[in-house]
Amino acid sequence: APTLWIPCFISSIESHSEFSCEPIRLRMCQDLPYNTTFMPNLLNHYDQQTAALAMEPFHPMVNLVCSADLRMFLCALYAPVCTEYGRVSMPCRSLCQRAKDECHKLMEIFGVAWPDDMECSRFPDCDEPYPRPEDLLTGSDPTDQSSMTVQRDYGFWCPRELKVDPDLGYTFMGRKDCSAPCPSMFFNQQQLTFTRYFIGVVSIVCLSATLFTFLTFLIDVTRFRYPERPIIFYAVCYVMVSLVFFLGFLLEDRVACNAVSPSQFRASTITQGSHNKACTLFFMVLYFFTMAGSVWWVILTITWFLAAVPKWGSEAIEKKALLFHAVAWGIPGALTVTLLALNKIEGDGISGVCFIGLYDIDALRWFVLAPLCLNVAVGVSLLLVGIVALNRVRMEIPLEKENQTKLVKFMIRMGVFSVLYLVPLLTVIGCYLYEHTYRNIWETTWMEENCRRYHIPCPYKVEQTSHPVMVLFLIKYLMMLVVGIPSVFWVGSKKTCFEWASFLHGRRRKDGVNESRQVLQEQPDFAQSLLREPNTPIIRKSRGTSTQGTSTHASSTHLAVLDDLDEPVRTHHGHPASTRSKASSVHSKASYHGSLRRTRDDRSDTMVYRGTEERSFHGSMPRLDHPLSTHSSLHQIDSHSRHSSQHDDSEAPPTLITHGTTASDSQVAENDGTSA
């Protein structure tokens, strides 16, 4: 019976795999039939010093000799006899029961309870003395090095230095109430110092770039509309990501690691779970905005797809903004709350932040790799479809050379931006896959190199050893931050420089149109085919407007002139005899150019010509107090001049001159100037 029961008991208490005998140094266990023991013992004590501390409550009972069997029974557990490897001698149940029954009352007096791990039912049912005669017969010298050969794998046994309080819920290498050594179990202090400064510098660069993008948006919030608005939110996400890494650089390992506790024989360990508030906050911000940035990139590809394939306009896409925000912030929020509930937070002693999947392979697989790979697959698919659609528009719809060039430039910008995002992201995914693949091998190698230092079982039959490559970890942290920098590429243009210059000088530019939208709007056929509302027929619109339903079309010459039109039309003061003819021509030209400016700038500058016409006189005409100009008002103005055309002016019917003039209105103005 003892022989059959022993292996099960050994497995339950995680017995040692290095069977090395050592002299007994416990004061209570001197002068026994044997003088060597092994550690860890049968009660999971790491060394004889720990076993001596655990035996102290029983000293009064042993000194008072409440039972002749108590001392031998205690030594059989705290300092068991060292025999040949593969056989552990256990005390019989009858020995345990006699010691417990005879010392029960005395133990109550001293307030000592019988430990659960010494319950008599756990020992073999036999009635033999301890140690047995065969236990004292060893086939070889107990101190021989051959006895240290590992015969089977006992798995990882958490060292005393890495033990944590049971209520914290820590787990390390499959063992509960255990945590990894901090700051790193793989790299030395010199490597860690270099890595931290490297992460700090890169985080500052990323923070500066993404913050510049966001501030550029704040200078002119109307500049970046859909389909490119998600780039701004994407930049905001990486502002927060880089900020967390920068704070981790400043705080070093004060957040990611638990403090050393020499009194409890505990070394510095990695923080896990949500009991550390600072670590929890770091995790929430870092994970939430990392996932949100990835989702915003997918939404960016969705908006490109809607603009290029179904030909949705900016307004139609903007109507879905609420849905975009719900998805972009809702999904990462749900994942973050789930991880908090599962208590999966882990400190990163290398970077000083807190994340997931650093030691838990399952969390890395399902909460980091799976979302990122899914986002890449969806985003790349939509991006390729959108580029193909835009290229088809370029090939099928006749565009002028200038607009062809702008469209090609627009497609190149979109492609380069996507490549600058995808290359770092795919590199990060590759680094995560590298960690996922080799993590178990790294841990086995670490355990083999440190088992004697921590007095834990060494691994059995190690076939492969490997150490993590420091360069790959540097690349991972670099790409996690660099992935946010491409947002600067999109806002980097001469217009951005002009806007910042105007902002720093206290001025605001009001005549700018986003280049990407301008490319999609300047050519009527292209604009309507690409940025129209869903299920809306294409209607060729004019660059001007008409109050009577008629339209005029702007030619490519007008578009070219429009690009250089930055100031209102001005006229020079001439002699009084030529004032009316110049005023009438300016009148019609200013109205026409006003309509062009309204189309380009999306502003209702309906009275561009008014100030021009006022400046064409010598100051003798009264100011027009009403924005509507009629020929009857012209009659009142002309009464102050040397021309007598009062009768013709009074008979002319009132005509409303609006921002976009029709051909008939221009003709009336020309006739009026001729009669004058």
Side-chain angles (χ1 to χ4, degrees), residues 34 117 124 206 231 234 242 268 295 391 475 548 603 611 627 642:
Y34 60 95
D117 53 4
C206 181
I231 295 177
Y234 161 83
S242 56
S268 178
V295 175
N391 187 64
I475 293 175
Q548 302 297 331
R603 295 192 301 267
R642 290 172 296 180

Side-chain angles (χ1 to χ4, degrees), residues 50-160:
T50 307
L53 294 175
M55 292 180 71
E56 284 185 358
F58 295 96
H59 277 238
M61 277 68 71
V62 173
N63 293 335
L64 294 175
V65 193
C66 61
S67 173
D69 298 319
L70 178 61
R71 176 170 174 261
M72 180 57 66
F73 175 70
L74 292 175
C75 290
L77 298 180
Y78 288 92
V81 60
C82 185
T83 63
E84 63 181 1
Y85 186 84
R87 189 172 65 86
V88 178
S89 180
M90 303 292 295
C92 290
R93 186 179 304 175
S94 58
L95 181 66
C96 171
Q97 197 65 48
R98 288 195 300 269
K100 181 179 180 181
D101 293 342
E102 294 174 356
C103 297
H104 177 67
K105 293 183 179 180
L106 188 60
M107 292 178 63
E108 289 182 350
I109 295 175
F110 284 94
V112 178
W114 192 266
D116 292 336
D117 53 4
M118 291 171 52
E119 193 61 40
C120 297
S121 59
R122 302 182 60 184
F123 300 102
D125 188 7
C126 61
D127 189 9
E128 298 178 359
Y130 189 90
R132 300 175 183 83
E134 60 269 21
D135 295 339
L136 303 177
L137 300 175
T138 59
S140 61
D141 186 358
T143 60
D144 192 276
Q145 291 295 323
S146 62
S147 63
M148 297 183 64
T149 304
V150 180
Q151 301 296 323
R152 68 188 180 106
D153 189 8
Y154 287 88
F156 175 67
W157 195 350
C158 184
R160 176 182 59 181

Side-chain angles (χ1 to χ4, degrees), residues 218-467:
L218 293 181
I219 291 177
D220 185 4
V221 295
T222 61
R223 177 182 173 187
F224 299 98
R225 298 177 60 192
Y226 287 95
E228 58 194 355
R229 178 67 64 83
I231 295 177
I232 304 302
F233 301 116
Y234 161 83
V236 171
C237 291
Y238 280 93
V239 168
M240 302 304 298
V241 170
S242 56
L243 181 61
V244 171
F245 274 106
F246 180 67
L247 293 177
F249 162 71
L250 295 179
L251 296 174
E252 295 182 341
D253 57 3
R254 287 191 286 271
V255 173
C257 300
N258 295 317
V260 180
S261 179
S263 60
Q264 299 179 352
F265 304 100
R266 291 179 181 177
S268 178
T269 55
I270 292 292
T271 299
Q272 295 184 30
S274 57
H275 70 93
N276 188 325
K277 306 307 178 187
C279 183
T280 302
L281 181 61
F282 273 22
F283 158 75
M284 292 175 62
V285 175
L286 182 58
Y287 182 80
F288 175 81
F289 283 103
T290 298
M291 293 294 111
S294 179
V295 175
W296 271 118
W297 182 78
V298 174
I299 293 176
L300 175 65
T301 61
I302 293 175
T303 58
W304 290 131
F305 175 82
L306 294 176
V309 180
K311 310 297 188 298
W312 282 30
S314 178
E315 293 79 7
I317 298 176
E318 194 165 0
K319 291 180 181 178
K320 305 295 182 182
L322 184 61
L323 177 61
F324 294 154
H325 282 275
V327 173
W329 306 121
I331 294 177
L335 291 175
T336 304
V337 172
T338 301
L339 289 169
L340 287 173
L342 295 176
N343 213 31
K344 294 293 185 179
I345 304 173
E346 296 172 343
D348 184 3
I350 299 177
S351 63
V353 302
C354 294
F355 202 61
I356 65 164
L358 302 171
Y359 300 93
D360 190 341
I361 299 299
D362 292 332
L364 175 65
R365 182 187 302 122
W366 297 112
F367 290 94
V368 178
L369 284 175
L372 291 180
C373 292
L374 178 63
N375 290 342
V376 169
V378 174
V380 171
S381 301
L382 295 175
L383 180 68
L384 293 178
V385 173
I387 292 178
V388 170
L390 285 180
N391 187 64
R392 185 180 302 169
V393 169
R394 183 179 67 88
M395 299 298 294
E396 295 180 356
I397 297 180
L399 299 177
E400 298 175 4
K401 183 177 181 180
E402 181 182 2
N403 289 330
Q404 284 274 5
T405 303
K406 289 184 178 180
L407 178 58
V408 172
K409 180 181 177 182
F410 173 68
M411 293 173 61
I412 291 176
R413 287 184 68 196
M414 186 170 64
V416 172
F417 173 81
S418 301
V419 169
L420 291 177
Y421 172 81
L422 286 173
V423 170
L425 181 61
L426 291 175
T427 304
V428 171
I429 293 176
C431 293
Y432 280 135
L433 289 174
Y434 169 72
E435 292 186 44
H436 181 274
T437 303
Y438 290 96
R439 168 67 66 176
N440 290 332
I441 299 177
W442 296 342
E443 291 175 346
T444 301
T445 303
W446 173 84
M447 188 166 63
E448 183 182 37
E449 295 176 350
N450 293 274
C451 60
R452 292 170 179 82
R453 169 192 170 193
Y454 286 119
H455 304 288
I456 60 175
C458 291
Y460 176 65
K461 290 184 179 180
V462 179
E463 298 178 356
Q464 182 181 1
T465 60
S466 176
H467 294 85

